Amino acid sequence: GQGVEQPDNLMSVEGTFARVNCTYSTSGFNGLSWYQQREGHAPVFLSYVVLDGLKDSGHFSTFLSRSNGYSYLLLTELQIKDSASYLCAVRDDTNAYKVIFGKGTHLHVLP
Amino acid sequence: GGIITQTPKFLIGQEGQKLTLKCQQNFNHDTMYWYRQDSGKGLRLIYYSITENDLQKGDLSEGYDASREKKSSFSLTVTSAQKNEMAVFLCASSGTGGGDTQYFGPGTRLLVL
């Protein structure tokens, strides 16, 4: 069946980096988005990728491998305020308006 | 820039009650969405609307109605609230072309006693 999988939790240390993984299985592929959601707040769009490779956007970078159904969000020079949930969302090619969200990975940044 | 507002911020209802949640956006976006977020689960799509007066069912539409009377607003109705139900309802909008970038409202937190 269709699905987007992410680990529930991830821990890292301030000043280092964290890689949030996402694997997906969908009927076709038409792009993948990453969102940040702080506790009690709405998801905020971070990045959208549709082509293979690494997209470097400074503090946040995203990687996509369509053949493996895999993406990651890389956060560098972590700050305590990066502690949040990170949601992966995949759009399949049957309906441009519907995306499938993963449960989100809660990133804990330790001092 | 734009903003999405949702009212009310908190909603406490009684079992069996009909409850309405409202969403407004000033992005001038064509597409609007209603999602339900439960603890430990991904966002699940309830209804979406591609343009004014359009309605499309999502995966979780049973037990809900929606209304898109004008481009800027999208309402969701819980037709019969379930006892002990607790969830966050998120409204979102996106521009022409679909759901690659969605902008979310702050959410309505529902608790049914």
Side-chain angles (χ1 to χ4, degrees):
Chain A
Q2 300 204 108
V4 177
E5 299 293 330
Q6 301 180 242
D8 290 339
N9 291 286
L10 179 63
M11 212 173 286
S12 194
V13 177
E14 186 179 18
T16 67
F17 69 94
R19 191 178 78 189
V20 185
N21 293 321
C22 172
T23 56
Y24 63 88
S25 172
T26 55
S27 44
F29 176 81
N30 200 13
L32 183 149
S33 302
W34 284 96
Y35 292 83
Q36 179 192 63
Q37 187 176 25
R38 292 204 165 89
E39 186 69 35
H41 290 83
V44 174
F45 172 78
L46 292 177
S47 178
Y48 172 73
V49 285
V50 65
L51 299 175
D52 287 348
L54 185 67
K55 181 179 177 183
D56 187 353
S57 304
H59 184 51
F60 300 103
S61 298
T62 45
F63 172 82
L64 177 67
S65 169
R66 288 174 294 172
S67 61
N68 292 309
Y70 169 68
S71 174
Y72 67 72
L73 174 72
L74 179 70
L75 296 87
T76 56
E77 297 183 28
L78 283 171
Q79 302 173 50
I80 300 294
K81 68 178 184 178
D82 291 323
S83 296
S85 286
Y86 291 87
L87 312 180
C88 175
V90 176
R91 187 168 67 164
D92 71 31
D93 60 7
T94 60
N95 185 332
Y97 298 97
K98 290 176 70 175
V99 297
I100 303 168
F101 279 86
K103 293 179 188 179
T105 296
H106 196 110
L107 172 64
H108 306 262
V109 180
L110 304 173
Chain B
I3 192 167
I4 296 184
T5 55
Q6 290 186 238
T7 54
K9 197 169 180 179
F10 297 96
L11 184 55
I12 298 176
Q14 302 287 332
E15 185 182 12
Q17 195 176 0
K18 189 175 183 179
L19 303 166
T20 299
L21 292 69
K22 294 187 183 294
C23 177
Q24 297 265 350
Q25 54 100 357
N26 64 0
F27 289 98
N28 199 33
H29 281 163
D30 291 312
T31 310
M32 295 186 75
Y33 307 80
W34 275 107
Y35 291 94
R36 177 181 166 127
Q37 187 172 37
D38 293 274
S39 179
K41 295 183 180 174
L43 272 69
R44 291 181 289 172
L45 183 64
I46 306 171
Y47 268 97
Y48 66 104
S49 167
I50 298 171
T51 189
E52 184 178 333
N53 293 318
D54 175 73
L55 280 179
Q56 307 283 341
K57 290 183 178 181
D59 299 323
L60 205 66
S61 61
E62 191 170 332
Y64 303 93
D65 284 327
S67 175
R68 182 96 182 268
E69 305 95 345
K70 47 184 183 176
K71 189 174 183 180
S72 62
S73 67
F74 194 28
S75 300
L76 180 73
T77 299
V78 180
T79 54
S80 180
Q82 301 297 304
K83 189 174 175 64
N84 297 324
E85 185 173 3
M86 189 165 68
V88 177
F89 292 85
L90 291 167
C91 176
S93 71
S94 66
T96 306
D100 54 348
T101 305
Q102 296 186 26
Y103 296 87
F104 285 84
T108 293
R109 283 146 186 82
L110 171 68
L111 175 62
V112 181
L113 302 175

